[in-house]
Amino acid sequence: MAKPRVFISSTYFDLKNVRADLERFIRTQGYEPVLNERGHIAYGNKEKLEEYCYKEIQISDILVSIVGGRFGSQSRSDSHSISNLELKTAIDLGKQVYIFIDRAVYNEFRTYERNKGNKEISYASVDDRRIFSFIEEIQSLPINNPISSFETSSEITEYLKEQWSGLFQRLLSENSKQKEIAALDEIRTTAKTLNQLVSFLVEERKNGDQAFKEILLSNHPAFNEIKSLINIPYRIFFSNINELDELLKARSFNPVDEENWDTKDYMEWLNSKISPGQLLKIHTSVFDEERKLKIIAPDQWSANLVLISDWSPTDDFDDDIPF
C-alpha cells in the first residue's frame, strides 16, 4: 500500500536529535520519512549532489522544514543554503509544507526586522544573518507558508498530529461529496449538450453537418470515461492520439510500445510511478486511420472501449520499462 512520503529538511548537526524524533513520529503515523542521513535519497553521477535532494522532493507528498540557528551548506548555484532551497522547491511544486523555526531564532528575528539596515549588529541565535533574510522571504509568500516556532521536538509532533488529523477529516468529508458532485457534473454536461443541439436546430442547420459533428465531438463519451478512470479533476478534451498522449503524460501515463500491447485491439498507456502501477487501455476503434478521434454518439458508446487495471513490473513485461 502506498504511504505518504514526508521529506524532512533542515541542517543536520544542530538539529539531528529533532530529526530523529520526527522520523520516529512519522513512522508511528504509518507514513514514510525521507532523511538524507538515512540514505533515503538516491544520488547519481550526472548532476550536483544537491540536485538529487530537489528531485526527491518532487516525489514526496509533504515537506517539513525546520529552521535553526545554523545556515548550513550553501548551494553551488544560489546564495541560499541547500535546506532553504529544499523549502523553496517544495513551495514551487505546490507540495504540502510545514515550517518550524527555533523559538530563539524567531524571537531574535523581530530584532533583526527593526535593525536589518545595521550591519554591525551581531545576533546570538544564528551564525549567519541570511537566515533572517530567508524567514522574511517565507513570510512574504502569499500562500503555503504556515510558520510555527518550537523549543522542543514534541511541540512539532503535536502540531503535525493536529494538522494531519485535520487533513484526513477533510479528505473523508470531500470523498463523501464526490458522488453528488459527479452526478451534478453529468447533469451539467448533458444539459449543455442539449442546449447546443437546440441552438443548432433553431438556426436551421445553417452550418450543415459539420456543426453537428463538432457538438458531438466536444462532448465525446471518451472524455468522461478517461476522466473518471484516472481521477482527473478537470474537464478534458483531445481530438487525436498525439493530444491524448500529451494529456496522459501530464498525469504520469506514458505510451507503451505497440509490440508490448496485450492485444492489437487496445492501445496502452502505463503509469509506473505509483504502487501498484496503472495500465490504461483504449480500443483502437475509437480512432480512425489518421489517428483522429472518431465521432461516437453516447448511445453507441461501450464501457469496454476504455479500460484500466492494476499493473506491476512482473505482470507482462521485462524488467525494463516498455517505453
Side-chain angles (χ1 to χ4, degrees), residues 39-258:
H40 297 160
I41 298 174
Y43 291 106
N45 60 1
K46 297 185 182 300
E47 298 182 76
K48 292 174 290 200
L49 293 182
E50 65 184 88
E51 294 297 329
Y52 294 97
C53 296
Y54 312 142
K55 289 179 184 294
E56 195 69 27
I57 292 169
Q58 294 178 17
I59 57 174
S60 296
D61 304 291
I62 297 171
L63 182 133
V64 177
S65 175
I66 311 165
V67 180
R70 289 175 59 91
F71 182 73
S73 301
Q74 181 172 328
S75 168
R76 294 188 179 182
S77 57
D78 195 285
S79 61
H80 292 87
S81 71
I82 292 176
S83 58
N84 289 167
L85 286 182
E86 288 173 346
L87 175 56
K88 287 169 66 70
T89 299
I91 291 173
D92 290 342
L93 291 171
K95 301 292 184 179
Q96 182 67 51
V97 168
Y98 299 97
I99 305 167
F100 299 92
I101 302 175
D102 182 276
R103 189 160 296 142
V105 174
Y106 209 25
N107 288 339
E108 203 167 34
F109 172 68
R110 305 304 177 192
T111 304
Y112 164 81
E113 287 185 301
R114 297 178 183 177
N115 300 276
K116 57 185 176 182
N118 187 344
K119 306 297 183 182
E120 302 301 320
I121 295 180
S122 177
Y123 297 97
S125 63
V126 298
D127 64 358
D128 193 315
R129 60 193 296 134
R130 282 180 293 178
I131 294 174
F132 292 140
S133 299
F134 187 65
I135 295 174
E136 197 170 31
E137 189 177 338
I138 295 169
Q139 288 189 331
S140 67
L141 294 171
I143 58 172
N144 210 356
N145 60 340
I147 299 173
S148 297
S149 64
F150 75 95
E151 193 168 354
T152 64
S153 56
S154 62
E155 292 178 282
I156 298 177
T157 57
E158 285 301 316
Y159 182 92
L160 290 175
K161 190 183 299 182
E162 290 290 332
Q163 287 290 313
W164 292 347
S165 294
L167 281 177
F168 183 58
Q169 190 280 330
R170 188 189 308 164
L171 174 65
L172 293 176
S173 177
E174 290 175 353
N175 282 346
S176 67
K177 297 176 182 177
Q178 288 305 307
K179 290 185 178 179
E180 298 174 19
I181 294 172
L184 287 172
D185 284 343
E186 189 172 343
I187 291 171
R188 289 193 192 101
T189 300
T190 303
K192 183 178 179 181
T193 303
L194 290 173
N195 287 336
Q196 289 175 318
L197 288 170
V198 169
S199 298
F200 170 76
L201 294 172
V202 168
E203 303 225 348
E204 299 179 343
R205 306 183 72 172
K206 62 184 180 182
N207 292 322
D209 290 340
Q210 184 60 32
F212 187 72
K213 291 179 180 179
E214 288 177 358
I215 291 172
L216 289 177
L217 178 61
S218 66
N219 294 278
H220 200 289
F223 302 156
N224 276 340
E225 195 76 25
I226 294 172
K227 177 179 184 290
S228 173
L229 287 176
I230 64 176
N231 298 317
I232 299 179
Y234 46 81
R235 182 178 174 84
I236 67 172
F237 178 86
F238 56 88
S239 61
N240 54 54
I241 293 178
N242 289 339
E243 292 178 1
L244 175 60
D245 278 343
E246 293 302 317
L247 169 69
L248 293 176
K249 283 178 182 177
R251 309 296 298 182
S252 299
F253 281 84
N254 290 294
V256 178
D257 290 338
E258 184 173 351

